[in-house]
Amino acid sequence: MTKTELNKLTTKSVMEMLINKYNAYNIEDEMGGRISFFIDSKLDNTFQCEYHRSYQDISICENVKLSGGGWSVNDINKASEADVYERELNNEVKTITQSILAL
């Protein structure tokens, strides 16, 4: 399998996992190798996410370090949950990538 075929298979497998396991929606294949999508968490938060094909990782926009004061408990909890989800999603991507490379 060529590198291009491996990358396409990885992307397809990751997107299938996101749709089937995390109910990803509003999926948009953006220019520049990014696919944006949304997922809803178990705590009823909605996260805006991006899968980066070239890096083969997922980032969640709400996963930010909150500095200073004035943040509500909801803001703090959402950022914390986004961090947990981002790590979980990237572990799933890593598992998929490793299984495809083992082919």
Side-chain angles (χ1 to χ4, degrees):
M1 208 178 274
T2 67
K3 186 175 181 178
T4 300
E5 290 171 330
L6 286 172
N7 287 339
K8 285 182 178 183
L9 180 59
T10 301
T11 298
K12 181 181 177 189
S13 299
V14 167
M15 295 315 297
E16 287 174 354
M17 175 273 297
L18 290 169
I19 292 167
N20 295 329
K21 188 169 182 180
Y22 293 94
N23 298 317
Y25 60 95
N26 284 1
I27 299 167
E28 294 184 25
D29 195 351
E30 310 237 343
M31 298 291 287
R34 295 178 312 221
I35 299 173
S36 64
F37 60 94
F38 291 85
I39 59 171
D40 295 325
S41 73
K42 295 175 184 171
L43 298 178
D44 205 28
N45 289 311
T46 299
F47 297 127
Q48 180 180 357
C49 311
E50 284 187 342
Y51 172 66
H52 299 265
R53 281 182 275 233
S54 50
Y55 301 120
Q56 295 180 338
D57 72 347
I58 294 174
S59 62
I60 298 178
C61 295
E62 291 80 6
N63 183 14
V64 293
K65 182 177 179 181
L66 304 177
S67 60
W71 299 103
S72 70
V73 173
N74 189 41
D75 292 335
I76 295 167
N77 290 339
K78 187 172 186 175
S80 177
E81 188 182 26
D83 181 53
V84 170
Y85 266 78
E86 187 173 293
R87 280 188 269 124
E88 183 179 320
L89 291 170
N90 281 311
N91 284 336
E92 297 266 3
V93 170
K94 184 177 179 180
T95 301
I96 290 169
T97 303
Q98 289 174 342
S99 69
I100 290 173
L101 289 176
L103 293 176

